[in-house]
Amino acid sequence: MDKQEIKKFFDEQASHWDADMVKNDEIINIILDNAGLVKENGEEKSILDVACGTGVMIEFYKERGYQDITGIDISDKMIEKAKEKFPEVTFLCGDVEKEDFGRKFDYIVVYNAFPHFPSGVDLVERLTGLLKDGGVLTIAHGMSRKQIDNHHRGKAARVSNGLISSGVLAKIFKYFKLDVQCDVSNDFMYQVAGRKTNA
């Protein structure tokens, strides 16, 4: 997959992305629970939302008390929409695999975007490097693996890979010293979450 083609595709989708969005609030909250993103009563924790699109996940983070949120997306049109909706949030237009954030994060979330990266292994390696020790990376979809693959057979086929099994993704996590906290693949959702160890 060519990243410029991915950018062009999502730029074209941005104007109607929110209107076409199919999301299940209950499943999203389960995903965040599984990732350990519970309401914070003490130290502020940071979140990096990868391929954030128009900011669909931001309201869920904010409902849980998070304020230190950074969203990044390769599509400038998606980022424009996200900034309109959430001007108080830091949004960056760029390639997460190349961006210099100048910091590390407590939580990194990739929601409904993993198949749009050319190499899942390279992405996990990069994101692990952006995590603080003890931080959590979660890769999730609010649909089953079969539903995601069927969905991407349409107009998104040229900018999507097939979604690997959660078991294979969990093995990739373990290779990069991510202690797997969650490995779920069922009729409703897909998620692998892992905590970075310093071992």
Side-chain angles (χ1 to χ4, degrees):
M1 280 188 300
D2 177 72
K3 288 190 177 181
Q4 284 307 308
E5 189 170 3
I6 294 167
K7 178 190 181 311
K8 180 181 176 185
F9 176 83
F10 284 103
D11 278 348
E12 291 169 353
Q13 304 303 310
S15 63
H16 53 88
W17 190 255
D18 287 347
D20 294 347
M21 175 69 61
V22 176
K23 67 182 176 74
N24 182 316
D25 291 6
E26 181 180 357
I27 294 298
I28 290 173
N29 280 306
I30 290 169
I31 286 167
L32 296 182
D33 287 345
N34 289 344
L37 277 98
V38 295
K39 285 186 178 176
E40 295 293 322
N41 294 320
E43 181 186 355
E44 178 71 16
K45 301 286 186 176
S46 56
I47 300 173
L48 176 63
D49 188 334
V50 176
C52 64
T54 61
V56 67
M57 296 295 285
I58 303 301
E59 62 184 290
F60 294 93
Y61 305 142
K62 293 179 80 60
E63 284 172 6
R64 289 169 179 249
Y66 292 90
Q67 301 299 320
D68 186 358
I69 305 165
T70 301
I72 185 168
D73 200 284
I74 201 168
S75 163
D76 57 318
K77 300 297 184 188
M78 290 285 191
I79 289 295
E80 284 175 17
K81 293 287 183 186
K83 286 180 176 179
E84 288 171 12
K85 291 161 60 178
F86 302 102
E88 73 283 6
V89 173
T90 300
F91 289 106
L92 304 171
C93 181
D95 182 346
V96 72
E97 295 183 290
K98 296 178 180 176
E99 188 74 27
D100 179 8
F101 293 92
R103 63 183 296 199
K104 294 192 176 187
F105 298 89
D106 295 293
Y107 298 99
I108 299 178
V109 178
V110 185
Y111 176 72
N112 281 1
F114 190 61
H116 301 300
F117 287 87
S119 169
V121 173
D122 290 347
L123 179 65
V124 172
E125 180 178 20
R126 167 64 171 154
L127 297 182
T128 302
L130 290 172
L131 273 179
K132 294 178 183 178
D133 286 346
V136 175
L137 169 62
T138 189
I139 294 173
H141 291 271
M143 297 182 191
S144 71
R145 182 182 174 206
K146 181 178 180 181
Q147 288 171 314
I148 290 292
D149 284 346
N150 284 339
H151 178 69
H152 288 159
R153 285 193 180 102
K155 61 185 177 183
R158 72 183 192 274
V159 294
S160 302
N161 292 315
L163 183 57
I164 61 175
S165 75
S166 64
V168 169
L169 183 54
K171 288 178 181 176
I172 294 169
F173 271 42
K174 290 174 184 174
Y175 179 81
F176 291 111
K177 309 298 185 194
L178 291 168
D179 181 21
V180 175
Q181 312 284 303
C182 170
D183 176 354
V184 177
S185 184
N186 58 34
D187 291 341
F188 308 102
M189 60 178 280
Y190 171 105
Q191 182 179 17
V192 177
R195 186 175 300 278
K196 184 176 180 178
T197 67
N198 53 15

